[in-house]
Amino acid sequence: MNFEEYFPVWHKLSPLHQKMLSEGTAVRQVKKNTVLRGGEEECLGLLLVCSGQLRAYILSEDGREVTIYRLFERDICLFSASCMMNSIQFDITIEAEKDSEIRIISPQVYAKVMEESAPLANYTNQIMASRFSEVMWLVERIMWQSFDRRLAEFLLEESRIEETGELRITHEKIASHLGTAREVVTRMLRYFKSEGLVELSRGVVEILDEDGLLKLCGQD
């Protein structure tokens, strides 16, 4: 495994610290829909995505989900090792959206190296700051953006990820990503269909007018 793909500061670590991280890493193959970490479960460790796709989301008291970010090849997830951050309590659930191969670095090992290595500590703080920025951006969207715009943005993003305009996704799954009710998604998708933006069939949303969706997002 090439750790430099995940840690640009790898060359700044001592041989001992590189060895500790390498030997403290385990490989795991996970199937689609596998929950890697529940919101209140014990510390899993630092996740490195080798292939596949993961989803990180939070769960409300009434059971409603909202996706806070997604993880792709060469991404790192720190919130799965929240026990390393004493002042931060962040209940987050992580599941595999696709069959994935991941590496898990022991939280004890990573915390030890981070304590002794300023370059790794600084890089870890950069990742954490970036993730919190994504969360705050999401909160702003939920609070201030209209739902039709949020849905249009989601469909376009999903199309880019899957590299197709024919999205095999249920209304319930879209609702889970966007933190709303399935009925709300269904009503808006029906409106999109009436405007000629999408075509709907069971378990499929087909984008017909990408430019129209872009206009809803404020992009001409």
Side-chain angles (χ1 to χ4, degrees):
M1 176 181 178
N2 187 359
F3 280 89
E4 291 184 1
E5 294 181 350
Y6 298 88
F7 301 103
V9 297
W10 184 256
H11 66 285
K12 295 182 179 180
L13 305 184
S14 70
L16 174 60
H17 288 154
Q18 291 179 352
K19 181 180 180 182
M20 289 173 64
L21 291 175
S22 298
E23 294 182 351
T25 302
V27 62
R28 184 174 173 185
Q29 306 285 342
V30 293
K31 294 293 185 181
K32 179 180 178 180
N33 297 326
T34 298
V35 175
L36 295 165
R37 181 189 187 276
E40 298 179 354
E41 292 184 6
E42 64 181 31
C43 199
L44 174 63
L46 199 78
L47 295 184
L48 312 179
V49 183
C50 300
S51 64
Q53 183 175 314
L54 308 182
R55 170 186 174 231
Y57 64 92
I58 52 178
L59 195 63
S60 68
E61 291 184 357
D62 62 358
R64 185 170 296 176
E65 300 174 6
V66 59
T67 299
I68 55 175
Y69 58 82
R70 294 157 111 176
L71 298 158
F72 304 95
E73 185 177 343
R74 295 186 180 87
D75 276 343
I76 295 175
C77 184
L78 282 175
F79 288 135
S80 56
S82 58
C83 58
M84 298 189 309
M85 301 166 281
N86 297 329
S87 61
I88 298 175
Q89 296 297 323
F90 204 86
D91 289 338
I92 185 174
T93 300
I94 302 169
E95 70 171 2
E97 285 196 298
K98 298 180 179 180
D99 292 347
S100 304
E101 180 180 302
I102 61 174
R103 298 290 193 276
I104 304 176
I105 301 179
S106 160
Q108 292 79 17
V109 170
Y110 194 86
K112 177 66 174 175
V113 176
M114 190 170 60
E115 182 181 324
E116 298 176 356
S117 171
L120 186 64
N122 291 336
Y123 182 63
T124 302
N125 289 334
Q126 290 176 20
I127 297 174
M128 186 59 62
S130 175
R131 289 302 183 202
F132 272 115
S133 294
E134 291 179 20
V135 172
M136 292 307 299
W137 178 71
L138 173 65
V139 170
E140 289 179 356
R141 289 173 66 199
I142 292 174
M143 290 180 63
W144 307 118
Q145 281 189 5
S146 62
F147 184 69
D148 59 345
R149 178 170 178 170
R150 290 179 58 214
L151 179 57
E153 288 177 346
F154 174 80
L155 294 177
L156 291 170
E157 178 187 23
E158 195 73 8
S159 177
R160 286 191 293 270
I161 291 172
E162 300 299 332
E163 299 181 340
T164 178
E166 187 174 300
L167 307 177
R168 299 189 175 279
I169 188 169
T170 64
H171 297 190
E172 184 174 359
K173 190 65 175 178
I174 295 173
S176 294
H177 279 291
L178 298 179
T180 190
R182 178 183 59 79
E183 293 78 9
V184 175
V185 172
T186 298
R187 285 197 297 270
M188 189 58 69
L189 284 175
R190 286 174 177 169
Y191 168 71
F192 281 6
K193 179 179 179 179
S194 70
E195 293 293 307
L197 300 174
V198 302
E199 183 59 62
L200 305 176
S201 56
R202 187 174 182 83
V204 177
V205 178
E206 182 181 359
I207 296 175
L208 299 180
D209 185 358
E210 183 176 334
D211 289 339
L213 292 177
L214 286 170
K215 288 181 179 178
L216 280 178
C217 300
Q219 303 176 40
D220 295 328

